[in-house]
Every structure is written in C-alpha cells, then in structure tokens.
Amino acid sequence: MEEEEEEVLGMLDKVLEDEDQFDGELDLDSPLTSGEVGPYLLRPFQGDIEKGLEMKKLVLSGFLASEEIYINQLEALLLPMRPLKAAATSSKPVLSMEQIETIFYKIQDIFQIHKEFYDALLPHIQQWDDKVTVGHLFQKLASELGMYKAFLDNYKRAVETAEKCAQANGQFQKISENLKVKGPKDSKDLTSTVTMEALLYKPIDRVTRSTLVLHDLLKHTPKDHPDFPLLQDALRISQNFLSSINEEIDPRRTAVTTPKGEARQLVKDGFLVEVSEGSRKLRHVFLFTDLMLCAKLKKTPVGKHQQYECKWYIPLADLTLQTLDDSVESIPHIQTMQEHEIDEMKNKICGLKSDIQKEKTKGQSRVVDRLRKKMNEQESCLLLHSPTIPFRIHNRNGKSYLFLLSSDYERSEWRESIEKLQKKDLQACVLSSVELQVLTGFCFKLRTVHNIPLTSHKDDEESPGHYGFLHVIVHSATGFKESANLYCTLEVDSFGYYVGKAKTRVFRDTTEPTWNEEFEIELEGSQCLRILCYEKCYDKSKLNKIDDDNEIVDKIVGKGQVQLDPQTVQTKNWHMDVIEMNGIKVEFSMKFSSRDLSLKRTPSKKQSGVFGVKISVVTKRERSKVPYIVRQCIEEVEKRGIVEVGIYRISGVATDIQALKAAFDTNTKDILVMLSDMDINAIAGTLKLYFRELPEPLLTDRLYPAFMEGIALSDPAAKENCMMHLLRSLPDPNLITFLSLLDHLKRVAEKEPINKMSLHNLATVFGPTLLRPSEASENSKAHVTLASDIWSHDVMAQVQVLLYYLQHPPITFTELKRNTLYFSTDV
C-alpha cells in the first residue's frame, strides 16, 4: 500500500516537474501548424469570389491555430486530474472525489468536442479548394455548445472550490499555480506556466469565438456556395445559445478589489429610468455581488474623460424588492407624457433619419452632425418617457427607490439577478466616502453597457432593424417538471425599448403545452424577439405579486430571446427555431413580410364572400345597413372583451383569425358558436382584418386627400366644417358602418383604466386601416408609406383623423344628413 501511495504522490510531483508530460494527438508537424500559413498571404487574388474564398481560408487557418492553443490549455488543465483521482482513493488524498469532479466538471467533454473538431477541420484546410465545405463541422460544433452551459453554471463553484482547496492543501496550491501549457511547435517558448484559475476561465473566453468567426466566414462565402446555408445555420444556433447565457458576465473584467481586500464583482449593469421627486431621471445602475449602486454621468468639458456621480447605493443584505401595481397610474406624482406626444416624437425621429440619409448623399457632414444631435435629443426623450412598468426596491434602513422599465422581461432579469445574489450569506457593507468614490470611479471601466440604446449611437454599417411584419407560430414547450396552466407572450424592440405584441391562450394543467398559434407582429426597426413563458396562477402562494385591486399577476417560469438575423428573417419561407429558458424549450417558427406586401389591399376575385368585397356590395346582398361581420364582432367584443387588457392591440392567433374569415366568407351556420368559443383577441383581429382587406378604405380613396387637408387645418371652426362635410360625403353604407365602429371604440375607451386602451391607442390601431388608400388609387401614389418609415407624416395624419372623430361629441347619421353647412360640395 505504501508503494502505491508513493507512486501516486510521484505522479503528482511529476505534474509539476515534467514539461514533456503531454500525450496529445495534435499533428503539430502539419503545414498549417508549422508556420506554413504565411505563403497564402503572398498569393495574388483572382476575382472577387476567389478573393473571398482565399480570405475565408485565412480566417479558418487563424481560427484553427487558436483551436490548437485552446486544446493545449484544456489538456494542461486535465493533466493533474488523473493523479488527483488516484490519490483520492488512497489513504493520503489531496482532494476528495467530489472536489475533483466539481473543479474539472465538463472539461474532459469540452476537450473531446474541440479535439474532434480540430481533427476534422485540419484536412479540409490542408486540401483547400473553392468547393471545400466546412459548414457542417461548425454546425456540429454549435450543436454541442450546450456542454458549455453546464460548465458555465458550475464555473463559479469550480473556482471557489479550487481556491478553498489551494488554501487548505499546500501540495494542491503548488499544482494549481504551476500548470504547464504546451505551445505551438513553431513557437519559441515550448511551454508556459499558467494558474488553474486562469485555465478554468478559458472556456468562458472561448464560448463567443465560434460566433465571431462565423460572421467572418459568412462575409467571405458567396451566397450560392454550398457552405453558405450551413454556416448560416451554425451562426443561428450559436447566437441562440449566446442569447440563452447572456446573463453570464465576464468575472475577470468586472472584478474590483475593495480596500479590505474583498473581491467585489460586477454582475449586471444597464440604463434605467428612476422616478425622483416626481420626475423621470436616466440612471446607470450597477449590480455588484454585495451591493447595488445607482449613478449618473457627470457633465464634463469636451475632451475630458467622462465620470459617474453616485446617487445612492444599497447593500444587498439590506435590499428588499417591493411589490407594486403593474401600471404607473397607481403611482402618484409621476411625470407622464401623452401617447400622441410619444407618437409625435417617433414621427420626428423617422423624419430626422430620412433627412440624415439625404444630407449624407450630398456630403454635408456638418448638417448631418447637427441632425444627429437633434435625433439624439428626441430618442433620449422617448426612452425617458416610454417605460411604464414599475420596479421598486427598498433599503431596510432607509428609503425606497422606484424605477420604470419597458418590459416584464427586463424587470424579471433584474429581480432574478438580485435574488440569486441574496441566496448567499451576505454581510451588510458600509462604504466610507473614499471607498464609495473609488468604487464609483471604477464603474466607468467596469461597465458592460456603454451607450444608451439610441440609433444615433449606431455605426452606419449597423443594421437599422426590420420594418414590416413578423409572422410567428408558437408551437409547443417542453421541460416542465409539474403540470401547470401555461401561456407565452411575445415582445420585440422598438425605438430602443421593448413592447409586448402577442399572447398565446392558456394551455391548462399540462407539462407539454402545444399551442400551434400564429401571430402577426408589426416590426418598427426591431432586431430582437423575446418570448416569456408564464404560469397562470390561481394559488396566491405562487404569485409574483398581487396588486392593489387583488388582480393576479402571473409567475414567469422562463424567458429567452433570439436575434432577428437579416439573412434568416428576410427569407420567404418559414424558419423553425427553439429558445431555451431555465431548462424549458419553446419551439416556434417565423417568417417576415414587408409592410407594403402585408398592407396591400387586394380585391377578392369572388364576390360571394365578405373579405375583399366592396362594403356596398355586402350590405346590399345582406339587406343590412352595417355588414354582419362588423355587427357580430363588435357585439362579441363588447360582451366579453371590453375589459381585456390590450384589446385590439394584442395580436390574435392567426390560424383562429383565418378560420373566422373562412366562416364569414362562406356564411357558416355555426358562426355564432365559433364566435362564442373563440379567443377574444382573434375576434378583434378578424374585425381589423376585414377593414384592412376592403378593396378600398372605409373612408374611400376619393376623399383621402381631403381628409389629409382637413385634419391639417388650424382654425377649429374650419376644421369642424370640413371634417363633418367629409363624413356626409361618404356613401351611406360606409358612413353608417364608420359611425357604428366609432361608437364601439368610444365604449372600449371608457374602460381604459382596465383594458389600457385609450382613444389614442385605438386611433393608432384603426386609423391607417380605415384610411390607407388602395394601391389602385391615383391619390395613393403621393402617399406611399416606406417600410422603413412607419411613423411617416401620412400615417400620423391617418391616426389624427380617426382621433378627431373619436374625441368629437356623439355624431349620428340623422343629424349629419339634416345639418346643412355652408361648405362646398365639391371634394
């Protein structure tokens, strides 16, 4: 037994002494790794395609060389594992088996993944020609990135365990501080000495590398090359993975040592809107491992380094999260901006974007700079006044602080980060004025979010985002351990903040919900889609919170996001994807359509239905004053949807809407039964679709220019005469239907405190639908709405027209026809 123990201890000593202990199987004599990459740089390129493929080879060669280094680092980390395991079963263990498994968790698996990738990629580069494909190898590598998630989840525990073991055992300390990493064969230094902590960090450092190289490879791969779709798919998988772990923060870059020698790390930071003395203030909030610090940027002279000023801090040991109603209306004395003012700001931003592009083509750099400054001011104001979701924190020893956030996703991220840190044994920390000054000074270097999310901060080459409609089918979800009532919501970014766009129905009492629901989501410069999965709560003990009116707010059980990659999104075909969230997988599909295509009015070839058929034809056939579809949808919404939050704004399920469309078109006898069973958002969506698909707008192509001129009049009396005259000029079926819809929308707005749908909200939803000219109209040629300019002057005017009538005292058909105003009948 003693001889066996001596042998084990000898193995451990050899780890420290023997620089030739490596038994890896890398082919270091290959042309690629023995310094023969260089000549490719001297070879002249022939044509753009050849040049691109040569660049692609250089990218791959550089990446492969870095893979060799990475594999050597992993091998050096694994080297002491075998003797440590052998020692663990002897009478003189250096570490326990549990400690060894924790420290080296998943390292062997990661090493094997990259070793196989390296061995497969090397011959492709050695035998390079323009037909070589490597995308399948990157697909395989990307599909195995899940191994990194397990490593990342264990990383902090691994580092802490290694640190404690080194403090408790001198021999392990010596090993962990003197690991030998073999260098490339052509390097001068054959080995380098690295600490175990540094090597354990390497997988975190590496996890983004494959995504970066895929961007470069796609840039230098022709779109018709067989590798292009494979590399695209690999990039999609990698980006989804990175999105799922975006909360993992670089622990080395965000570390700061306190004067007492304690390790304090930055876990999360970002720009938030704080409510201070009744007004909104933009703050940069820093969440450290032991405290939260709220700061603002100091005003500094041009050329001077920017600095932060600390407004307040709370030790996490003293911080509590307070519950609050979900709307700012419940919070007194908050400066709020009217929705029409918000929309006017959006309109100005889009106008300034257009002006900037025009001035760029003229080469007017000074004018462009001035316009950028104006756009910066508008966007900053918009971001300051848009958030409405409250997030309140409280210091047990002092006051409370209130932030307003743009989405439930964002609030959940901050809440989870704080609660995760508070699970540890935290000691209340009190900073001296000097310590606080030092920490605030470090914040500028440590921050991970450098700029407010403004368009004016983006480089010209950056994507402006997507404008149009994203069709999303939420298929199903798996990974739930217990049965629950489950549903999903969808958010997209717009003008720098996130907006809720759709909600699935609740799938009851299941661990495997299957929704298969399709939504049409309007994009306004959007770059990201978020999906949140909720449990519909009836048990008050499981609630996130209950508001002042005892309204139940459901529990978020998972959340995730996916970048809307231009090459993926703008294909005409459906693209299936999966978002992973806290062990839950949500499967969905999406496809994109341009705004022009989605909003195109297409007359129906069949005159027997109601969709795409002139309203006068339908009412004559039905012998009614208002189309049956309009009457039934309004009746159902008022019966059970008038208090539904976001009614007419939240998208209905596209498949349900299409089913109702088919039923109304064929005059199905069971239509009333269908309506009573259908989700109310689908019924609201069907009504919107009916008006959108009219061959000409409800307020007619002929009168469209006059409506645009009338709403622009400044004199109230002149505007009143004009706008009333225009209504009288409508055909009777159009007018009666419009007045019926107007009364309905006013009744919906009366419930605004509950449904959150104001008159302006409803005008924004219905205005363009009721007024947008048909493609065939000569008038429409001067009123084309560009896909990248949703908030154009015309669209805003369309909203204002409907808002004028919604805010007007009651209008009846009889009074309109009876009143005679001194106004020209020629429109």
Side-chain angles (χ1 to χ4, degrees), residues 724-753:
M724 290 303 109
H725 172 76
L726 289 172
L727 283 189
R728 285 196 302 278
S729 302
L730 288 170
D732 283 358
N734 297 58
L735 175 57
I736 297 170
T737 301
F738 177 68
L739 294 178
S740 177
L741 178 65
L742 208 59
D743 289 341
H744 165 64
L745 295 179
K746 287 181 178 181
R747 288 192 290 273
V748 170
E750 287 173 1
K751 301 293 183 181
E752 182 192 352

Side-chain angles (χ1 to χ4, degrees), residues 517-528:
E517 295 180 29
E518 181 183 341
F519 303 94
E520 182 183 78
I521 295 173
E522 188 172 11
L523 304 182
E524 302 170 290
S526 309
Q527 294 180 312
C528 187

Side-chain angles (χ1 to χ4, degrees), residues 63 194 196 230 303 616 637 697 707:
F63 183 66
V194 185
M196 183 172 288
L230 301 176
S616 57
V637 169
F707 276 114

Side-chain angles (χ1 to χ4, degrees), residues 47 66 285 310 515 547 600 613 615 664 763 826:
S66 70
V285 180
C310 178
W515 295 286
D547 69 21
K600 184 178 178 182
V613 179
I615 197 165
F664 277 113
D826 296 325

Side-chain angles (χ1 to χ4, degrees), residues 410-649:
E410 188 181 4
R411 178 168 62 178
S412 175
E413 281 189 322
W414 280 99
R415 182 186 292 273
E416 288 171 9
S417 296
I418 292 168
E419 290 175 343
K420 186 177 179 181
L421 291 169
Q422 287 182 327
K423 288 179 181 177
K424 300 168 187 175
D425 185 20
L426 295 171
Q427 300 296 320
C429 58
V430 179
L431 302 183
S432 67
S433 58
V434 174
E435 289 173 332
L436 184 58
Q437 188 176 351
V438 170
L439 181 60
T440 307
F442 266 111
C443 284
F444 192 80
K445 297 178 181 178
L446 299 177
R447 60 185 180 163
T448 62
V449 180
H450 295 268
N451 293 316
I452 305 166
L454 305 180
T455 306
S456 48
H457 285 160
K458 290 184 178 181
D459 296 331
D460 292 340
E461 292 76 19
E462 286 189 63
S463 169
H466 304 282
Y467 292 85
F469 290 88
L470 186 69
H471 302 263
V472 181
I473 301 176
V474 182
H475 295 293
S476 59
T478 56
F480 297 97
K481 295 178 181 178
E482 297 178 358
S483 292
N485 305 310
L486 303 163
Y487 68 92
C488 290
T489 63
L490 282 67
E491 297 178 352
V492 294
D493 55 312
S494 169
F495 290 89
Y497 60 98
Y498 280 83
V499 182
K501 288 287 188 178
K503 174 183 174 182
T504 69
R505 63 169 60 91
V506 178
F507 210 95
R508 296 183 178 278
D509 195 24
T510 182
T511 57
E512 294 185 353
T514 304
W515 295 286
N516 287 324
E517 295 180 29
E518 181 183 341
F519 303 94
E520 182 183 78
I521 295 173
E522 188 172 11
L523 304 182
E524 302 170 290
S526 309
Q527 294 180 312
C528 187
L529 169 68
R530 288 175 168 177
I531 297 182
L532 295 91
C533 192
Y534 289 84
E535 178 183 351
K536 187 76 177 173
C537 289
Y538 303 101
D539 178 357
K540 291 186 178 181
S541 65
K542 289 185 177 182
L543 298 181
N544 275 358
K545 62 185 178 64
I546 303 176
D547 69 21
D548 295 337
D549 299 320
N550 291 322
E551 179 186 346
I552 291 176
V553 179
D554 301 329
K555 177 183 175 184
I556 297 176
V557 292
K559 64 186 188 307
Q561 60 186 10
V562 61
Q563 294 298 317
L564 299 176
D565 179 61
Q567 294 168 334
T568 301
V569 170
Q570 294 189 6
T571 57
K572 294 180 180 178
N573 300 323
W574 284 100
H575 174 76
M576 185 171 281
D577 213 331
V578 174
I579 286 183
E580 295 193 25
M581 44 178 86
N582 302 340
I584 299 164
K585 291 183 180 180
V586 175
E587 188 177 273
F588 66 100
S589 297
M590 59 183 176
K591 71 175 180 179
F592 175 81
S593 62
S594 69
R595 183 174 174 81
D596 293 340
L597 183 63
S598 295
L599 295 182
K600 184 178 178 182
R601 294 188 185 273
T602 308
S604 175
K605 293 179 181 178
K606 297 179 180 179
Q607 292 297 301
S608 57
V610 293
F611 282 83
V613 179
K614 286 185 177 181
I615 197 165
S616 57
V617 173
V618 173
T619 51
K620 186 176 181 180
R621 184 204 310 142
E622 294 178 351
R623 297 180 181 178
S624 63
K625 294 180 178 180
V626 177
Y628 178 71
I629 181 174
V630 175
R631 286 182 281 123
Q632 289 306 128
C633 288
I634 285 176
E635 182 181 326
E636 199 65 34
V637 169
E638 294 193 0
K639 186 189 299 180
R640 58 188 180 92
I642 204 162
V643 294
E644 181 79 13
V645 175
I647 189 67
Y648 289 119
R649 180 178 60 80

